[in-house]
Amino acid sequence: SALTQPASVSGSPGQSLTISCTGSSRDVGSYNYVSWYKQHPGEVPKLIIYEVTKRLSGVSDRFSGSKSGNTASLTISGLQAEDGADYYCSSYANSSTWVFGTGTGVTVL
Amino acid sequence: QLQMQASGPGLAKPSETLSLNCPVSGGTISTSSYYWAWIRQPPGEGLEWIGSVYYSGDTYYNSSLKSRVTISVDTSKNQFSLKLSSVTVADTAVYYCARYLRDGDSFDYWGQGIMVTVSS
């Protein structure tokens, strides 16, 4: 089943916010293969973080990833207007299957 | 530069089989570096992994869709395909084809999706 994310989070410019992604021992808890995607409305999702903590080349260092147990997290520091978007986590599960999170809408106030 | 775009009918009737193709240009599909995946997104909802195929033809499916899904690869045409049978209104979604990078364990490239509506 889908990984659990908060439906929405918000913050003011310059603040930091964290999006959680909760799975289970069958996926997030067992593999360091969590990735994060950013999607603007009507656009294609874009990879920003892979293998829990690694930033894709060209992605701002304001984005960082981490994991503890069955929960992965994406932190956006120094929030900027262009960070407003939907964010999805994904994890390798088992037997070469993958699962996405429910998605989180980020609003920059 | 890699280019992928899902193609096929944008409308299907309930109980029919939805068929989509994803031609790949700017790179070969016959590489051990990637899996090739189908992912969908119903209007206003989240992403759902449908399944993946390796260039060898090995396939992996979402268990919730497995009984209705067939994904195949045609290396001679450098494309992969999706067939989803017995569609219902719940299958209405934007369907994306994507590349999964094995050494990175992530969907690193997504093609432009195609909106498929299931309606009588």
Side-chain angles (χ1 to χ4, degrees):
Chain A
S1 58
L3 308 175
T4 301
Q5 298 180 233
S8 63
V9 295
S10 62
S12 299
Q15 288 186 328
S16 294
L17 60 78
T18 297
I19 302 169
S20 60
C21 169
T22 301
S24 70
S25 58
R26 296 185 300 275
D27 37 62
V28 175
S30 289
Y31 305 98
N32 289 324
Y33 300 148
V34 176
S35 49
W36 289 90
Y37 304 85
K38 178 180 181 180
Q39 184 183 35
H40 287 289
E43 295 187 7
V44 175
K46 294 181 179 178
L47 175 67
I48 54 174
I49 297 281
Y50 64 100
E51 292 180 343
V52 180
T53 62
K54 299 176 181 178
R55 271 188 309 275
L56 192 69
S57 176
V59 172
S60 171
D61 60 4
R62 298 185 297 102
F63 290 86
S64 61
S66 62
K67 191 185 86 167
S68 178
N70 296 335
T71 298
S73 299
L74 174 71
T75 297
I76 310 174
S77 58
L79 200 61
Q80 297 181 3
E82 64 257 32
D83 300 332
D86 294 327
Y87 292 81
Y88 293 90
C89 60
S90 177
S91 175
Y92 179 81
N94 53 11
S95 302
S96 296
T97 62
W98 289 266
V99 61
F100 281 95
T102 50
T104 298
V106 169
T107 301
V108 181
L109 300 172
Chain B
Q1 182 176 348
L2 187 75
Q3 290 191 30
M4 301 162 53
Q5 182 158 352
S7 64
L11 183 64
K13 288 183 167 54
S15 80
E16 289 185 341
T17 295
L18 178 166
S19 296
L20 299 175
N21 292 321
C22 185
V24 178
S25 60
T28 179
I29 207 168
S30 300
T31 170
S32 60
S33 300
Y34 306 107
Y35 290 104
W36 305 93
W38 288 98
I39 296 161
R40 71 180 182 179
Q41 184 172 34
E45 297 185 27
L47 301 168
E48 180 180 34
W49 174 74
I50 299 171
S52 298
V53 64
Y54 197 48
Y55 78 98
S56 62
D58 290 343
T59 52
Y60 311 91
Y61 298 132
N62 186 322
S63 59
S64 67
L65 297 169
K66 189 172 185 177
S67 63
R68 300 194 291 129
V69 172
T70 302
I71 296 175
S72 58
V73 62
D74 187 335
T75 55
S76 66
K77 294 182 179 179
N78 216 43
Q79 70 177 26
F80 59 108
S81 303
L82 167 71
K83 291 187 186 299
L84 180 65
S85 64
S86 304
V87 296
T88 70
V89 171
D91 295 310
T92 294
V94 174
Y95 286 76
Y96 296 102
C97 51
R99 184 179 75 177
Y100 184 88
L101 176 63
R102 295 183 68 196
D103 184 19
D105 302 290
S106 54
F107 299 99
D108 71 328
Y109 189 87
W110 299 58
Q112 288 296 324
I114 181 172
M115 179 68 202
V116 178
T117 300
V118 179
S119 174
S120 56

